[in-house]
């Protein structure tokens, strides 16, 4: 029984090539879904924050206003850390590529990107110091600098090799569409 409303899966079955309303290439977007490890860690952090908030209410109700305020600040910090953890990743737009880490972000305009490629190299397992052999999507900037965008062993792609391949192909397609073509010399 077909349902009369348009679902996200059915939105791509259209034959016309009209851009969908959410298909705005000027806005920053993550070309892949966050992985289960990242979402699970954020969910556990938010669960911890709910217990800390409950403790803040109990401490404040018992008359310890300074302790309640300190506990509330801890809960807010845990919530902000969980939200930042969900924002970590590679983002693309028509303006360039942005690598968002937990404490800092790096934005590279397409004009300064020389190549985006997948390489085999030792990568960090879930961001920990332990390294394993894996694949990484590397951005080469003008001046010879490299920026590691994605790995197949980070919190988004651990045990999801197909998702890593799709995400790497999508980022490379964004570079092919908006990157500066190298000049041909003869």
């Amino acid at each position: 029984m077909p349902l009369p409303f348009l679902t996200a899966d059915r939105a791509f079955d259209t034959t016309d090539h009209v851009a969908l309303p959410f298909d705005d290439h000027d806005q920053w977007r993550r070309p892949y879904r966050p992985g289960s490890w990242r979402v699970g860690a954020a969910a556990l952090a938010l669960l911890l924050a709910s217990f800390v908030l409950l403790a803040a209410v109990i401490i404040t109700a018992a008359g310890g206003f300074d302790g309640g305020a300190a506990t509330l600040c801890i809960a807010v910090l845990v919530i902000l850390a969980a939200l930042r953890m969900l924002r970590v990743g590679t983002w693309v737009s028509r303006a360039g590529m942005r690598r968002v880490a937990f404490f800092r972000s790096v934005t590279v305009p397409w004009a300064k990107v020389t190549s985006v490629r997948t390489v085999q190299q030792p990568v960090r397992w879930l961001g920990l110091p332990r390294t394993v052999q894996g694949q990484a999507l590397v951005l080469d900037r003008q001046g010879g600098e490299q920026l590691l965008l994605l790995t197949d062993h980070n919190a988004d792609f651990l045990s999801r090799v197909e998702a890593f391949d799709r995400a790497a192909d999508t980022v490379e397609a964004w570079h092919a569409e908006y990157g500066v073509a190298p000049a041909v010399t003869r």
Side-chain angles (χ1 to χ4, degrees), residues 142-165:
Q142 291 176 351
E145 301 173 42
Q146 283 189 344
L147 180 64
L148 184 67
L149 297 176
L150 306 169
T151 68
D152 62 346
H153 286 81
N154 68 5
D156 289 322
F157 301 111
L158 189 63
S159 302
R160 296 176 53 214
V161 177
E162 296 86 14
F164 173 79
D165 292 337

Side-chain angles (χ1 to χ4, degrees), residues 1-176:
M1 173 179 100
L3 298 175
F5 55 87
L6 183 66
T7 63
D9 294 333
R10 205 173 129 217
F12 297 108
D13 293 338
T14 59
T15 56
D16 54 348
H17 297 291
V18 178
L20 297 172
F22 56 83
D23 195 20
D24 183 11
H25 287 208
D26 289 328
Q27 290 186 351
W28 290 100
R29 68 178 65 208
R30 187 191 328 237
Y32 56 90
R33 290 187 176 142
S36 57
W37 286 89
R38 183 175 311 284
V39 173
L44 286 175
L46 290 174
L47 182 66
L48 174 69
S50 69
F51 288 122
V52 174
L53 283 171
L54 180 64
V57 169
I58 291 172
I59 291 170
T60 305
F65 296 111
D66 292 339
T71 309
L72 177 67
C73 290
I74 292 171
V76 168
L77 288 175
V78 171
I79 291 170
L80 291 175
L83 293 176
R84 183 64 180 185
M85 195 181 327
L86 290 173
R87 296 273 309 165
V88 168
T90 299
W91 297 74
V92 292
S93 81
R94 186 174 290 161
M97 184 162 320
R98 180 175 289 165
R99 174 71 178 122
V100 178
F102 193 77
F103 290 112
R104 69 182 206 135
S105 297
V106 176
T107 302
V108 181
W110 289 118
K112 295 190 181 210
V113 176
T114 57
S115 70
V116 176
R117 57 193 166 85
T118 305
V119 296
Q120 288 279 338
Q121 67 180 30
V123 295
R124 297 173 88 186
W125 184 77
L126 286 177
L128 298 172
R130 177 179 174 216
T131 60
V132 294
Q133 188 65 27
Q135 293 185 20
L137 186 68
V138 177
L139 176 138
D140 293 321
R141 293 190 259 187
Q142 291 176 351
E145 301 173 42
Q146 283 189 344
L147 180 64
L148 184 67
L149 297 176
L150 306 169
T151 68
D152 62 346
H153 286 81
N154 68 5
D156 289 322
F157 301 111
L158 189 63
S159 302
R160 296 176 53 214
V161 177
E162 296 86 14
F164 173 79
D165 292 337
R166 270 193 317 269
D169 290 343
T170 303
V171 173
E172 289 172 355
W174 274 81
H175 175 257

